[in-house]
């Protein structure tokens, strides 16, 4: 017997890509659960499937930085910190975070296949014995519009969004004078494709870094949050420094205010998404 659940959850995370750097992703998770019927004539109660499997996924990879341990990242431990350095293209990054901010996967490359295999191997042993196999499908949201990949960290967040490199695959909807503007949608998605968004107030000087060496021509940021201490040095060319926090609310407001400042005579509506099916709307 096969039990299935479509749209079980969404994984919002970042991973290290050799060509593109820290890449924010949002993957929708579909689940198949193979097994015999239990005493309730079920493979597993749907409410338990949704709670238990989602909890495992949230614990092991959601809002984390996924790293291929057989790839090119250099990983070291320093007390409660995990330190990672990585080169991609002509750029570099160095990050230090509490151990729980990372998902280390025994593979040479992070992609849908390696993450799928890792999750299936992690989830199955934690399910009842009548479940013999699980099959996951990881897929991006289908969209006919433009989208961008961004990574960030939110120091003021009490939950997992505080992790300094996690991210999302997001779209944006911009209206100019009451009309949808594909031109502006494309412009912002190109501007922020594969971007790391830095809040200006989190920037520090290179000599203030405690655990990692500063990247040449880099942007350096650090903060303390409830889960611990986070710091990052990353090539400036792959960042955008925001005068506000990088919450989706502030992102929407930043975009709409930038547009309004450039064209004061026009009116704008911006719907910024944080991954799949959620976001914020701002007007100017």
């Amino acid at each position: 017997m096969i039990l299935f659940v479509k749209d079980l959850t969404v994984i919002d995370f970042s991973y290290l890509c050799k060509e593109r750097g820290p890449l924010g992703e949002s993957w929708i998770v579909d689940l198949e659960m193979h097994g015999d019927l239990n005493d309730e004539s079920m493979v597993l109660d749907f409410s338990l499937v949704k709670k238990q499997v989602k909890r495992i996924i949230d614990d092991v990879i959601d809002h984390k930085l996924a790293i291929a341990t057989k790839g090119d990242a250099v990983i070291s431990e320093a007390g409660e910190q995990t330190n990672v350095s990585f080169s991609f293209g002509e750029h570099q990054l160095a990050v230090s975070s509490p151990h729980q901010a990372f998902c280390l996967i025994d593979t040479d490359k992070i992609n849908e296949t390696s993450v799928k295999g890792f999750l299936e191997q992690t989830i199955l042993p934690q399910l009842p014995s009548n479940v013999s196999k699980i099959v996951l499908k990881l897929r991006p949201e289908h969209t006919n519009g433009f989208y961008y990949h961004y990574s960030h960290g939110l120091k003021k967040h009490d939950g997992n969004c505080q992790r300094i490199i996690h991210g999302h695959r997001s779209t944006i909807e911009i209206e100019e004078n009451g009309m949808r503007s594909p031109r502006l949608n494309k412009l912002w998605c190109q501007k922020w494709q594969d971007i790391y968004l830095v809040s200006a107030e989190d920037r520090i000087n290179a000599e203030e870094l405690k655990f990692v060496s500063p990247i040449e021509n880099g942007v350096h940021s650090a903060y303390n949050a409830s889960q611990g201490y986070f710091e990052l040095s990353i090539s400036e060319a792959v960042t955008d420094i925001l005068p506000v926090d990088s919450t989706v609310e502030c992102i929407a407001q930043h975009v709409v205010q930038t547009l309004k400042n450039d064209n004061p005579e026009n009116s704008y509506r911006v719907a910024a998404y944080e991954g799949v099916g959620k976001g914020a709307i701002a007007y100017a």
Side-chain angles (χ1 to χ4, degrees):
M1 181 62 66
I2 301 174
L3 190 74
F4 68 90
V5 181
K6 301 290 186 181
D7 302 324
L8 174 68
T9 189
V10 176
I11 305 172
D12 289 300
F13 74 115
S14 292
Y15 67 91
L16 296 182
C17 174
K18 186 64 179 174
E19 292 77 30
R20 300 166 66 181
L23 193 63
E25 265 295 1
S26 299
W27 288 341
I28 300 166
V29 181
D30 299 325
L31 169 70
E32 285 186 1
M33 189 173 289
H34 301 232
D36 298 324
L37 301 184
N38 60 20
D39 294 339
E40 298 175 324
S41 298
M42 301 176 178
V43 177
L44 188 63
D45 186 278
F46 277 119
S47 64
L48 295 177
V49 172
K50 293 177 180 179
K51 290 177 182 177
Q52 189 170 4
V53 176
K54 183 180 185 306
R55 177 189 57 77
I56 296 170
I57 291 172
D58 288 348
D59 287 346
V60 299
I61 194 169
D62 192 58
H63 282 73
K64 294 189 177 188
L65 175 62
I67 302 174
T69 58
K70 295 179 180 178
D72 296 326
V74 178
I75 306 168
S76 63
E77 308 257 334
E80 298 180 353
Q81 300 290 118
T82 294
N83 304 328
V84 177
S85 60
F86 186 69
S87 297
F88 53 100
E90 299 177 352
H91 309 300
Q92 295 176 294
L93 69 81
V95 60
S96 179
S97 297
H99 307 315
Q100 67 199 60
F102 300 96
C103 175
L104 305 182
I105 300 179
D106 186 26
T107 184
D108 59 356
K109 187 175 184 180
I110 301 294
N111 54 29
E112 289 96 332
T113 300
S114 60
V115 173
K116 172 183 179 296
F118 166 74
L119 288 175
E120 289 172 351
Q121 293 173 14
T122 302
I123 294 167
L124 183 59
Q126 301 184 54
L127 298 179
S129 58
N130 67 299
V131 179
S132 59
K133 177 182 177 182
I134 65 166
V135 178
L136 297 177
K137 180 179 179 181
L138 307 178
R139 55 185 171 88
E141 179 185 31
H142 175 72
T143 176
N144 292 322
F146 303 102
Y147 60 88
Y148 58 98
H149 301 259
Y150 75 98
S151 298
H152 66 151
L154 302 174
K155 73 177 179 185
K156 299 172 186 174
H157 195 270
D158 287 335
N160 296 336
C161 291
Q162 67 188 258
R163 294 165 180 170
I164 200 165
I165 303 184
H166 76 277
H168 314 273
R169 176 188 185 268
S170 299
T171 188
I172 192 167
E173 299 169 0
I174 300 175
E175 293 180 6
E176 185 176 39
N177 298 325
M179 299 289 290
R180 185 71 65 89
S181 176
R183 177 185 65 84
L184 291 175
N185 292 343
K186 181 179 181 180
L187 185 151
W188 278 90
C189 287
Q190 289 178 334
K191 172 182 171 67
W192 277 352
Q193 189 62 263
D194 306 344
I195 200 73
Y196 184 87
L197 298 178
V198 182
S199 176
E201 70 175 34
D202 297 334
R203 294 189 68 182
I204 61 172
N205 296 321
E207 58 269 20
E208 296 178 87
L209 291 167
K210 298 178 181 179
F211 291 99
V212 302
S213 299
I215 301 301
E216 186 177 358
N217 298 319
V219 172
H220 323 297
S221 62
Y223 52 79
N224 282 292
S226 59
Q227 292 183 4
Y229 175 73
F230 299 85
E231 72 178 21
L232 171 68
S233 181
I234 185 170
S235 297
E236 184 176 15
V238 296
T239 70
D240 194 5
I241 300 167
L242 304 184
V244 294
D245 290 329
S246 58
T247 62
V248 70
E249 296 91 340
C250 290
I251 288 173
Q253 187 60 46
H254 171 71
V255 173
V256 81
Q257 196 58 56
T258 300
L259 292 168
K260 185 66 173 178
N261 291 344
D262 291 343
N263 298 280
E265 70 283 1
N266 292 344
S267 63
Y268 295 95
R269 175 188 182 273
V270 171
Y273 284 73
E274 184 185 77
V276 178
K278 61 187 188 298
I281 300 172
Y283 293 86

